[in-house]
Amino acid sequence: MNIYILTAVAIVIILNLFFSIIFSFTKSKISIKRWSPLILLFSFVLVISWFMTDFATQWVLIEACTLIGALLISMSQNEKATNVAWKFLFLNSFGMGIAFLGLVILSYGVHNVASMNIELIMEHIQEKQNPIIEVGIWLAVFGYSTKLGLFPNQYWVSDTYSESPSQISALFAALIPVSVSIVLRPLIRMDELLLIPHLSSKNALLVMGIATMVYSILTLYQVRDIRRITSLIAMFHNGAIGVFLWLNTSDEIFYLALTSLVVIKALLFASLGAVRLDLPSRIIDEIDPKVGLHPILKFIYLGSIFMAFAVPISPMFLSDMMAMRMAVKHSYYWYTIVPCLGITFFAITLYKILPIMNIESREFNLENNNIIRIRIGLVLFIFAVSILIAVYGFYMFSIGGLDNA
């Protein structure tokens, strides 16, 4: 796996979600054509940031998407979505401001003439051991962790994902964590180059990641809203990213994990959107089983949750196994806490969505019949893409790739 495969898969997923917005958007009566350029711009800017070799350019591109993202959240055109958009804009700008301050301090600590070129900073960081560099890395990591949605600045994640249109939530969940992970990776490597760090930002990221996973599990107990449940799944995986970044895996495993993330997050919210079109309420306990639900909608939503946690044909499962293999290889036996937390979260999620599985089967709601069929077709396409990625990953492993040494 490499960044080009990641980009190719991301473009396929972006186009899938874009077609869903164009042909099956039901959240409001707004003109989608007016918002289409903004949706494409948001996606294009984030993908372009993956190829930047300068911290400053990466920061500008990701921060630009904070403003664009706030506008996209408000596509629903209701008061709740507007409030969530402001919360998203405020908290993410707060984190990005801290991150930029950290990058400036880091650049100042490494060079006499300020530069934010990643390779140049990496080359000189060992010979410039000083507390200024340490402070700069710590601030940058903490700031970007807010954009990733890690504890203690995770409060925007659930609101944003649950109150945005499902296609927009899918774009956010699929692209933003990947962009932030690519920025954090060199920062983690720089932290490892410090000989005697007083406060390791790498270890801080690990703690924030585990805390986010635990917070997601505790919060899930109290949730009855199907959109909130799906949002917490995305938040849980964001926490797992923090732990995964701590491992500092090879590029092959790193890009496999990010590719898996793009596909699975999109699958979760795309399947959620299809189910919500056929249900009278988003509060699971308030749904009368006799109202009915088409069996294929039950299948795709339950299937997406299994793909996110427990199915061997899922690319997420493969990347988790590769990470576990590396952890055992380096005697990080404590890493078993990650799959244990994942099993716990998965079990609670199944318990929460069980009432949906007990709803009687019926045909599609006539009011949204055509739109639901379009959504199902697009969701099944994402299913197929995710399985192909898993098959490709297992094939690469079988021929000696993915660090099979």
Side-chain angles (χ1 to χ4, degrees):
M1 286 290 182
N2 54 52
I3 193 170
Y4 300 105
I5 295 177
L6 167 64
T7 304
V9 172
I11 291 173
V12 171
I13 297 301
I14 290 166
L15 291 176
N16 182 287
L17 296 173
F18 184 72
F19 290 149
S20 177
I21 293 172
I22 295 297
F23 298 112
S24 61
F25 191 82
T26 61
K27 198 69 174 179
S28 69
K29 297 180 179 179
I30 63 173
S31 173
I32 293 300
K33 291 182 179 179
R34 292 185 305 173
W35 290 87
S36 300
L38 206 59
I39 295 167
L40 292 175
L41 179 63
F42 173 86
S43 305
F44 176 76
V45 168
L46 281 181
V47 171
I48 287 297
S49 73
W50 302 349
F51 293 89
M52 296 298 104
T53 59
D54 185 271
F55 278 130
T57 309
Q58 286 179 329
W59 185 93
V60 169
L61 292 173
I62 295 175
E63 176 61 5
C65 287
T66 301
L67 176 58
I68 300 172
L71 295 173
L72 293 178
I73 294 170
S74 62
M75 283 177 64
S76 300
Q77 292 190 337
N78 58 61
E79 183 178 354
K80 194 169 187 179
T82 302
N83 291 336
V84 170
W86 276 110
K87 185 176 183 179
F88 171 84
L89 181 63
F90 177 78
L91 289 178
N92 279 271
S93 296
F94 159 76
M96 292 298 288
I98 293 177
F100 188 73
L101 176 62
L103 294 175
V104 171
I105 294 174
L106 171 61
S107 175
Y108 175 78
V110 173
H111 297 287
N112 293 326
V113 178
S115 171
M116 291 196 183
N117 182 278
I118 297 174
E119 292 184 1
L120 287 176
I121 292 177
M122 193 78 75
E123 288 176 3
H124 294 91
I125 199 165
Q126 276 190 312
E127 63 190 54
K128 299 279 187 177
Q129 300 279 334
N130 60 71
I132 295 177
I133 293 176
E134 185 178 343
V135 170
I137 295 175
W138 197 95
L139 288 174
V141 169
F142 180 78
Y144 276 118
S145 73
T146 301
K147 190 73 175 179
L148 187 56
L150 298 186
F151 182 89
N153 298 305
Q154 80 286 0
Y155 297 104
W156 66 269
V157 177
S158 182
D159 287 341
T160 298
Y161 292 171
S162 60
E163 301 304 330
S164 306
S166 58
Q167 300 97 329
I168 301 302
S169 297
L171 279 175
F172 281 23
L175 298 181
I176 292 178
V178 170
S179 303
V180 176
S181 297
I182 290 174
V183 175
L184 285 173
R185 186 166 168 83
L187 290 169
I188 296 303
R189 288 179 168 177
M190 291 176 190
D191 183 80
E192 290 182 338
L193 294 175
L194 297 177
L195 299 178
I196 309 177
H198 296 86
L199 178 61
S200 172
S201 56
K202 176 183 175 181
N203 292 337
L205 186 66
L206 171 66
V207 172
M208 288 188 287
I210 293 177
T212 305
M213 298 169 74
V214 173
Y215 174 85
S216 301
I217 292 173
L218 296 177
T219 306
L220 186 62
Y221 275 109
Q222 309 167 17
V223 175
R224 302 160 52 218
D225 184 340
I226 187 173
R227 291 191 63 92
R228 292 275 176 182
I229 291 172
T230 310
S231 300
L232 286 171
I233 294 174
M235 183 189 292
F236 181 88
H237 281 299
N238 287 357
I241 293 170
V243 182
F244 177 80
L245 287 169
W246 184 92
L247 282 176
N248 193 18
T249 63
S250 67
D251 286 345
E252 271 193 299
I253 297 176
F254 177 70
Y255 287 115
L256 170 65
L258 295 191
T259 305
S260 305
L261 196 71
V262 168
V263 177
I264 298 302
K265 291 282 191 75
L267 178 62
L268 280 168
F269 286 99
S271 61
L272 168 69
V275 171
R276 277 291 296 121
L277 285 175
D278 213 37
L279 285 177
S281 173
R282 55 191 278 179
I283 307 301
I284 296 177
D285 297 345
E286 296 178 359
I287 301 173
D288 185 351
K290 295 182 180 180
V291 170
L293 181 67
H294 197 284
I296 195 172
L297 291 173
K298 299 178 187 179
F299 167 77
I300 62 174
Y301 185 63
L302 183 63
S304 67
I305 293 176
F306 270 88
M307 290 290 281
F309 288 100
V311 178
I313 59 172
S314 168
M316 191 69 76
F317 180 90
L318 176 61
S319 59
D320 287 346
M321 291 302 97
M322 293 296 99
M324 176 64 73
R325 180 175 178 273
M326 179 179 175
V328 172
K329 183 178 180 180
H330 291 85
S331 301
Y332 301 146
Y333 298 113
W334 59 265
Y335 193 83
T336 53
I337 192 175
V338 176
C340 289
L341 290 174
I343 292 170
T344 302
F345 189 94
F346 178 60
I348 299 172
T349 303
L350 290 182
Y351 170 76
K352 286 288 184 178
I353 67 170
L354 184 61
I356 294 179
M357 300 302 112
N358 293 329
I359 295 176
E360 296 179 5
S361 299
R362 62 162 169 79
E363 293 299 318
F364 295 123
N365 188 332
L366 292 177
E367 182 182 357
N368 296 317
N369 181 46
N370 292 334
I371 292 177
I372 292 174
R373 290 180 183 277
I374 293 173
R375 292 278 189 99
I376 289 175
L378 293 171
V379 171
L380 292 177
F381 178 81
I382 300 178
F383 262 111
V385 171
S386 65
I387 292 172
L388 285 174
I389 293 170
V391 171
Y392 174 76
F394 279 113
Y395 169 74
M396 292 300 297
F397 181 73
S398 68
I399 64 174
L402 298 176
D403 284 347
N404 189 19

